Amino acid sequence: MYNNSVLYKSRSNMSSPRELANAIRALSMDAVQKAKSGHPGAPMGMADIAEVLWNNHLKYNPSNSNWADRDRFVLSNGHGSMLIYSLLHLTGFDLSIDEIKNFRQLHAKTPGHPEYGYADGVETTTGPLGQGISNAVGMAIAERTLAAYFNKTGHSIVDHYTYVFMGDGCLMEGLSHEACSMAGTLGLGKLIAFWDDNDISIDGHIGDWMEKGVSGRFKSYNWHVIEDIDGHDPVAINAAIVEAKSIKDKPTLICTRTVIGFGAPNLAGTHDCHGAPLGDEEIAKTREQLGWNHEPFIIPDEIYDGWNHIEQGAEVEEDWNERFKAYRAEFPEAAAEFERRMSGELPANFIDEMDKYIAKTQEEMPNIASRKASQNAIEAMGPIVPELFGGSADLTGSNLTNWSGSVVVNADNANGNYISWGVREFGMAAMMNGMVLHGGLKVYCATFLMFMEYMRNALRMSAMMKIGSIFVYSHDSIGLGEDGPTHQAVEQLSTMRVIPNFQTWRACDAIESAVSWKMAMLRVDAPTALIFSRQNLTPMERTDDQVRNIAKGGYVLKDCEGEAEIILIATGSEVGLAVESADAMTDKKVRVVSMPSTNAFDDQDQDYKDSVLTPGVKRVAIEAGVAESWYKYIGLDGGVVVMSTFGESAPAGDLFKYFGFTVEKVVSTVESVLG
């Protein structure tokens, strides 16, 4: 059985911890020098900490980087990417020395910052500071939740730590405050973070722009704090990790004092080695000072032997496999459920059950707000998708993201499926991304659409990592009403639609709401935003074919006889307006297209798109948002009924009239377009 309290693994070659750490330093400075760009200082400064953690505590198998019960390691200070690339290479992951030499080059597995899905063993994309620690908090939440659900007396199949390396920059970002305060509130005892306290950032010594009371801040967050650890003393580092793992009811911050660029005789301890190559002359002197008498990218066999973790990793995983076999024998259904969840597969009956629910909703045609329709869809999915895990940023009663089976997760209860995240939208999104990356849960989070602005970089990161995060946004436009322009989304829909590998849905009624949820749940390699209204929306009549075509992102909702003279394209609450306007234009042949997802529509083949938006037919787009995302459909000769300013504070009905979302305005726009 893996021994989490081991001090040092036995090494036949007796390479010292410092010698092993120097391999990281050498690879880091050589790779950065060859690339002529990069950040050698952090890897050189944290090498000793990494050596102790990876050789004596971290539970992993280089031959199976996706093993379910591995410890998670997150390099939050992602600019120090050569640290993790060195570790992966040295310990036996599928990352060759050629990839190390190819650092920062086109299509390399070793990009400038760690990228999820490139190098085997990288758990998350880091670079924007604060994201990594926030992802790590999410991973720790997922571990705690799954452990509470699956572990049984005498059987601990979910039992791993989340370790984080982070620098001063991570702690300056407000995002880290949001996530770390949540971690302490939840009492995440299996989250251990190392603060690289080197007193340096890009601009120099940080005393002029960073507070000195980091440890006090984390104590106030309910973290266990281990202060003043020499980050170059392996015995002290090890003792700190052992102490951290003995704390079960709160996360731990280990404050490690390090020298950035450790070993560089002229540049160590300065900002000059933070984000630039050391230079050939300094590297030569560093080799001499470290006693590293090897050519660039040459690692002696005895050093490789001291790092190689393949055999030990296989033994650790095999021990877990034996324990899981015993678990399966006693709890076969739970074991099968665990394997299904960790594979990312939805229950086999999910599509059939959702299609039944969609058909039932179309038959009933409820006249409700789409946020309520969203809640109804969650209620339908909850019993058949036990891994469904939701939450809201202090807006549960407005977003309507809970359901009858919601069980709140807090410090006292880990076995639940819903979190009140508090007013920390960015942190919520980044932590949710971490939960998704961990695996085993299908996660969504929610707030008002306007406040996606606080979350934007987390949305972008989810798209970049190609993970199935689900972002739920209610109160989608000026229809929010009296709260005024600060809360009314105007430009947000357009800006989300242009995020690569990101799909945005704005439903026009309960049926489209249900379909959008189905599509979001099925996406495992890309995130989705679901946009819902505050106000009731009139249900639309549809044929079975039209219901099926909703999934294509855009479809003909109402057609005319013969070829149309004008096509009205609308989303959300404005679809009803488009239908009313078409009915009013009795002298014209009008087609109404509902386009809940421009992104999904764009993915369709050209024949289908042409069947919906007939080439040569003029078009008018109608949406209570800015026009920018619509010109690719309407062209230069089309028209728009949109927002061109921020909103106002007033009842929603008054605002729609004031800003021209009326039949009269649509008709006049059509007449102008047709000339």
Side-chain angles (χ1 to χ4, degrees), residues 604-645:
Q604 306 307 311
D605 62 55
Q606 194 60 50
D607 286 345
Y608 178 78
K609 289 188 284 189
D610 288 346
S611 74
V612 176
L613 301 178
T614 307
V617 179
K618 292 185 176 181
R619 304 153 190 180
V620 171
I622 311 166
E623 185 173 66
V626 296
E628 274 65 19
S629 59
W630 291 109
Y631 288 113
K632 64 179 175 179
Y633 304 113
I634 65 171
L636 297 178
D637 58 350
V640 292
V641 179
V642 295
M643 294 290 296
S644 59
T645 68

Side-chain angles (χ1 to χ4, degrees), residues 271-329:
H271 69 279
D272 294 317
C273 67
H274 182 284
L278 299 183
D280 291 330
E281 184 177 348
E282 184 75 358
I283 287 176
K285 293 179 179 178
T286 303
R287 278 184 152 78
E288 182 178 351
Q289 181 152 309
L290 294 175
W292 187 264
N293 303 311
H294 313 290
E295 295 297 313
F297 302 106
I298 298 298
I299 306 295
D301 288 344
E302 63 268 21
I303 298 295
Y304 272 128
D305 289 343
W307 273 107
N308 191 299
H309 202 81
I310 292 175
E311 183 176 343
Q312 185 179 356
E315 291 175 357
V316 172
E317 183 177 352
E318 180 57 31
D319 173 74
W320 182 86
N321 288 337
E322 289 299 316
R323 290 187 284 118
F324 190 75
K325 185 185 296 184
Y327 181 87
R328 186 196 305 276

